[in-house]
Amino acid sequence: MKGNLTVLGLGAMGSAVAHRLRSAGYHVTVWNRTAAKTRPHTAAGAHAAPTVAAAADAGDLVFVVLLDHATVREHLDPAAAHLRGKVVVNLVTTTPGQARDTAAWAAEHGIAYLDGAVMAVPSMIGTPEARLLYSGDENAYAIARTALEALGTTEYTGTDPGLAALKDMALLSAMDLMLMGYLQAIALMRTAGTTAADTAAEVEAWLAAMLPHGKEIAAIVDGGTYDTGGQSVDFDRHGLASLITASREQGVSAALLEPHQRLLDELAAAGHGDSDWPRIIDRLTVPQ
Ligand code: NDP
């Protein structure tokens, strides 16, 4: 056996993590609110603990794979004394602020804390395609690293415990907006009887061709002058107005497109109609 690990939470992700760690040669102790979910794990050789405290006592490294931040604090706070001196790896999806909050709590209780973000679905756990981001206590990362590598490709993003969550939220935001784009396209093409499957295939090919241009957008933002002479705010406003009109003509809501138009209109009203359109990022930066 390589060492004693604990996994708190046996939902879809926690179960995948526990199975993978056990098959990688660790002695795994599991705890789950609904105890029946521990059965497949004990049948496969894991140990089931009756309480979070007992589970924490059993592992040197404690993985937390509960539902959300509130659930984490609900169950970890009362077990703080049992976690003292251990490494806690929190794989629960949180905001950067929640990650920093748990890290501060852990520091108060002498717990080495790593905040994790899983860029994968459960079936990918244990493969190199599963990307897991970590931030927080650097020494905890060094201690946990071998076990973390059993779960997928690991990336340490820095000592600020909120960094992994920040990157997670940034990537998920990009995904969310992109997938809304799929639905807008599908809604439009459905008015001509095209199936969602056919439109999705078209969108996939189109976006694949467009994605490399993201680097050009990034270069404009990093340059910060918005005067490269490429597509301007006014050009984009006209293009977007056509998308919105076309949606309405087809009886499709333009609700997903209208916020983009509002941001461009604000820029034009502020005298930036000639600027490169990525200047829109100025409208996304809310003064603190
Ligand atoms: P599930 O809904 O499958 O499992 C949720 C887990 O949290 C279960 O163990 C559940 O226990 C437990 N739980 C929920 N509420 C409570 C509570 N009040 N007290 C104690 N335990 C509670 O979720 P996943 O396993 O899919 O997700 C776990 C984390 O992993 C989430 O933060 C999620 O965002 C993240 N994640 C998941 C991915 C995925 O594709 N599934 C991808 C990337 C991240 P019980 O069995 O008793 O209900």
Side-chain angles (χ1 to χ4, degrees):
M1 284 290 169
K2 284 181 173 171
N4 296 317
L5 308 183
T6 290
V7 178
L8 303 176
L10 294 173
M13 186 55 80
S15 280
V17 166
H19 276 306
R20 176 61 197 141
L21 292 172
R22 195 189 39 72
S23 62
Y26 291 95
H27 183 267
V28 175
T29 297
V30 294
W31 173 85
N32 194 61
R33 176 182 62 176
T34 306
K37 286 194 191 164
T38 62
R39 279 189 211 125
H41 296 271
T42 50
H47 171 70
T51 62
V52 171
D57 286 341
D60 301 318
L61 191 53
V62 178
F63 287 86
V64 185
V65 206
L66 296 169
L67 185 63
D68 56 14
H69 177 66
T71 320
V72 171
R73 297 305 299 274
E74 176 190 340
H75 291 280
L76 260 53
D77 284 20
H82 298 265
L83 294 165
R84 181 176 293 276
K86 312 228 166 179
V87 173
V88 168
V89 181
N90 185 6
L91 297 181
V92 172
T93 304
T94 60
T95 67
Q98 290 167 341
R100 291 178 189 124
D101 182 55
T102 306
W105 168 84
E108 267 174 40
H109 292 89
I111 300 162
Y113 183 75
L114 259 190
D115 199 83
V118 183
M119 309 305 302
V121 294
S123 60
M124 290 161 70
I125 293 298
T127 70
E129 286 70 40
R131 184 168 168 234
L132 290 96
L133 314 174
Y134 299 98
S135 56
D137 188 323
E138 209 167 359
N139 192 39
Y141 182 69
I143 294 168
R145 189 162 182 168
T146 307
L148 302 182
E149 283 172 353
L151 301 179
T153 301
T154 75
E155 182 184 322
Y156 178 71
T157 56
T159 53
D160 170 357
L163 279 177
L166 177 64
K167 196 185 273 197
D168 188 26
M169 296 289 118
L171 295 177
L172 291 176
S173 295
M175 182 185 79
D176 184 73
L177 290 168
M178 180 191 75
L179 294 179
M180 288 298 104
Y182 266 78
L183 289 179
Q184 186 72 20
I186 288 168
L188 279 167
M189 291 307 295
R190 259 201 334 192
T191 65
T194 307
T195 64
D198 284 349
T199 303
E202 294 261 7
V203 172
E204 186 178 339
W206 172 241
L207 290 185
M210 289 299 105
L211 275 176
H213 294 288
K215 290 191 189 71
E216 292 158 23
I217 296 168
I220 290 171
V221 172
D222 284 339
T225 53
Y226 303 104
D227 58 359
T228 69
Q231 287 184 354
S232 67
V233 167
D234 281 340
F235 181 90
D236 206 22
R237 281 172 77 214
H238 286 112
L240 202 62
S242 297
L243 303 187
I244 289 170
T245 305
S247 290
R248 291 177 185 150
E249 276 178 11
Q250 296 300 120
V252 171
S253 168
L256 292 171
L257 297 165
E258 284 158 354
H260 182 179
Q261 187 187 44
R262 267 199 302 280
L263 295 171
L264 288 167
D265 287 347
E266 285 170 16
L267 271 180
H272 297 304
D274 290 338
S275 288
D276 297 329
W277 72 265
R279 190 165 202 148
I280 208 164
I281 199 163
D282 284 357
R283 313 309 294 180
L284 300 180
T285 306
V286 181
Q288 296 300 310

